[in-house]
Amino acid sequence: MPPLIAPRIPSGTLELLPREQRQFQRMLDVIRKGFERFGFGPIETPVFEMKDVLLTKSGGETEKQVYFVQSTGALQQGHAPELALRFDLTVPLARYVAMHERDLAFPFRRYQIQRVYRGERPQLGREREFTQCDIDVIGKDALDPLHDAEIPAIIVGIFTDLSLPPFTIHFSNRKVLRGFLEAHGAVGPEAQEPILRAIDKLDKTGMEGLRESLAALGRTELAEPLGRLVTLEGTSDEVTRALQSLALNQPLYTEGVQEVAAMGIALKALGVPEGRVRLDLRIARGLDYYTGTVYETFLDNHPGFGSICSGGRYEDLAGYYTRSRLPGVGISIGATRLFEQLRSIGALPPDSVTEGTHVLIAQVEPALRPACLALGAELRRAGLNVETHLEGTKLDKQLRRADKLGIPFVVILGSAEATRGVVAVKDLAQKTQADIPATDLAAYLRAKVGFLCPAP
RNA sequence: GCGGCCGUAGCUCAGCUGGUAGAGCCCUCGGUUGUGGUCCGAGUUGUCGUGGGUUCGAGUCCCAUCGGCCGCCCCA
């Protein structure tokens, strides 16, 4: 015998058993419905893109995390890879919009639920292959700030539908932060970026860390005013008023505060519950392409899990691919991370009997096999998901199978039942069993399973 | 890419100061005729991550290497 190869998957990848996969799928379904509800349309893009297309904006940090793709043939000839796996869905979106610009209706509202790849050190909630659920709105030349308010409303709806544990979408506005820094002498992106990063790390480093970073940058004088800005607490309205009262005479700052104020009003109008979405000046986001609103979502009781959903506003999405100016705003749910984290705290919703296999038809006598097949066909026509046990092993094995697969009902059809025109229906969870007239079976089970299915 | 911890059955792990391997779970079968998840009994499973070294002898010590987990960078 040849030696066995150890069955394994690369670290940072995830594989689920069918029941878990169903839960994950259900999560994605809820997300998709949430996107559709707000009038977003689906797209998909290839897992790999041309290398030069993908690596435009990245520069240093992201490039190190990119997987290159090369056919073995080309590899043998010593060619450098010309393809790379996408590491997010935003860059492919930019390419997509630039490519199909003339055919799209702007503002272009699309959602995209696909896997992305990052060459990172995996950890819990940090995979090398994971699923992102993105929505973005892309405008032509301009995009009303109202779109920025709609984004969190969409997410709140979805997370509520998912019965998530308490969560908060924190948002801020980089114009406010930049304007504030500008007004305090930190002028220009080169000076501001490192400070914004330091602010973004506040939850890990604390104020001490921020002070240290500022000291290292030779900006000790910013510690005091920035400290006050960043520790503003209260409802979004209260924080907004505090920002307005600072009355910094700085155009960018003023613009940012206006946007923040407008968001507060819009969020109320959209019916987003107070407290779900908070203005939090500690959110800055490291990614430098964000220019206005930024979002970051955390589970209230599990801050260590990191952000499960984040995004923001960017002034020019596709500058590398087209001369058109295409501002946008978007957000991404980290579905794989969210799923893993919910699972680790036991917060995944329980199996639903309306999904998966509803009924297992046990086969106890070879002579009745055709009857079992026919019964299965009939129940399926009634809208039920049915497995007919085709092996016809011992009954206890068949019951164990139903048990293991989480199938709630077992139908037993033997000659004892057949001669009386009934079948035995066993409810595995209730440990009950009843003889049901064969003619009533479909209706009986449908009522038991408790869902409305389309008329046959 | 940097730092720390760890690699023993499919899974989770035990194996004291070196003397050639164990538990639980899982799985299979049985506790007789068509009734599960409980209980009882029986059984299968390992080149102790890999390579080298020290030693009469190494899962146990040393070195290297690969892999995993955690933290950092970054991020969903």
Side-chain angles (χ1 to χ4, degrees), chain A residues 191-212:
Chain A
Q192 292 166 3
E193 285 302 335
I195 302 175
L196 290 175
R197 281 174 182 242
I199 294 172
D200 196 58
K201 265 177 246 172
L202 262 173
D203 54 323
K204 274 183 186 165
T205 63
M207 284 306 294
E208 281 313 310
L210 180 57
R211 263 192 286 275
E212 282 167 27

Side-chain angles (χ1 to χ4, degrees), chain A residues 97-356:
Chain A
V97 173
M99 209 170 138
H100 302 290
E101 206 177 325
R102 289 138 214 89
D103 304 314
L104 298 173
F106 290 90
F108 174 51
R109 298 157 75 82
R110 77 86 232 231
Y111 70 89
Q112 187 170 357
I113 299 175
Q114 292 195 275
R115 300 208 229 202
V116 302
Y117 300 83
R118 287 184 196 173
E120 285 195 289
R121 279 270 170 282
Q123 278 165 40
L124 175 67
R126 259 182 61 174
E127 306 294 335
R128 297 196 295 178
E129 176 187 66
F130 60 97
T131 299
Q132 283 195 319
C133 311
D134 275 39
I135 36 168
D136 289 86
V137 186
I138 311 301
K140 188 110 177 205
D141 300 319
L143 186 70
D144 195 287
L146 262 186
H147 290 281
D148 297 36
E150 218 177 36
I151 298 284
I154 297 166
I155 300 301
V156 167
I158 288 170
F159 283 1
T160 303
D161 288 352
L162 284 173
S163 304
L164 238 57
F167 65 92
T168 306
I169 302 178
H170 301 254
F171 78 96
S172 179
N173 192 303
R174 307 239 306 178
K175 287 178 187 171
V176 173
L177 293 170
R178 278 187 186 284
F180 185 91
L181 291 174
E182 195 93 20
H184 286 82
V187 180
E190 307 75 30
Q192 292 166 3
E193 285 302 335
I195 302 175
L196 290 175
R197 281 174 182 242
I199 294 172
D200 196 58
K201 265 177 246 172
L202 262 173
D203 54 323
K204 274 183 186 165
T205 63
M207 284 306 294
E208 281 313 310
L210 180 57
R211 263 192 286 275
E212 282 167 27
S213 301
L214 290 172
L217 293 165
R219 294 276 182 184
T220 330
E221 77 280 4
L222 283 174
E224 194 271 332
L226 208 47
R228 266 187 294 133
L229 178 78
V230 135
T231 48
L232 289 177
E233 290 285 349
T235 65
S236 298
D237 282 352
E238 286 163 2
V239 175
T240 302
R241 274 195 293 277
L243 291 176
Q244 285 163 335
S245 70
L246 283 182
L248 291 181
N249 192 19
Q250 206 289 325
L252 194 61
Y253 179 84
T254 309
E255 191 182 328
V257 172
Q258 273 167 7
E259 288 183 11
V260 158
M263 256 191 74
I265 295 166
L267 284 169
K268 275 204 197 82
L270 283 162
V272 177
E274 184 83 28
R276 281 278 96 117
V277 182
R278 296 179 71 92
L279 175 53
D280 176 356
L281 278 305
R282 279 166 298 201
I283 301 299
R285 307 238 54 199
L287 291 176
D288 49 4
Y289 56 82
Y290 291 119
T291 51
T293 312
V294 284
Y295 318 96
E296 200 113 45
T297 311
F298 301 95
L299 297 180
D300 296 350
N301 302 323
H302 306 275
F305 280 174
S307 178
I308 49 174
C309 176
S310 55
R313 155 77 74 144
Y314 32 86
E315 272 328 302
D316 192 15
L317 174 72
Y320 288 103
Y321 314 113
T322 173
R323 304 257 176 250
S324 304
R325 207 174 108 80
L326 302 170
V329 61
I331 201 163
S332 176
I333 301 174
T336 305
R337 168 178 287 184
L338 181 58
F339 183 81
E340 283 190 284
Q341 294 176 341
L342 291 180
R343 185 166 59 168
S344 79
I345 58 174
L348 284 174
D351 284 356
S352 151
V353 286
T354 62
E355 292 174 5

Side-chain angles (χ1 to χ4, degrees), chain A residues 389-405:
Chain A
H389 202 289
L390 299 176
E391 323 298 332
T393 52
K394 299 177 71 170
L395 219 214
D396 65 336
K397 281 191 75 173
Q398 302 189 49
L399 288 168
R400 271 204 299 273
R401 175 175 177 80
D403 198 51
K404 190 164 185 174
L405 293 176

Side-chain angles (χ1 to χ4, degrees), chain A residues 34-50:
Chain A
F35 292 163
E36 291 276 352
R37 194 156 56 218
F38 275 80
F40 285 72
I43 72 165
E44 289 200 355
T45 64
V47 245
F48 46 72
E49 296 266 355
M50 307 305 294

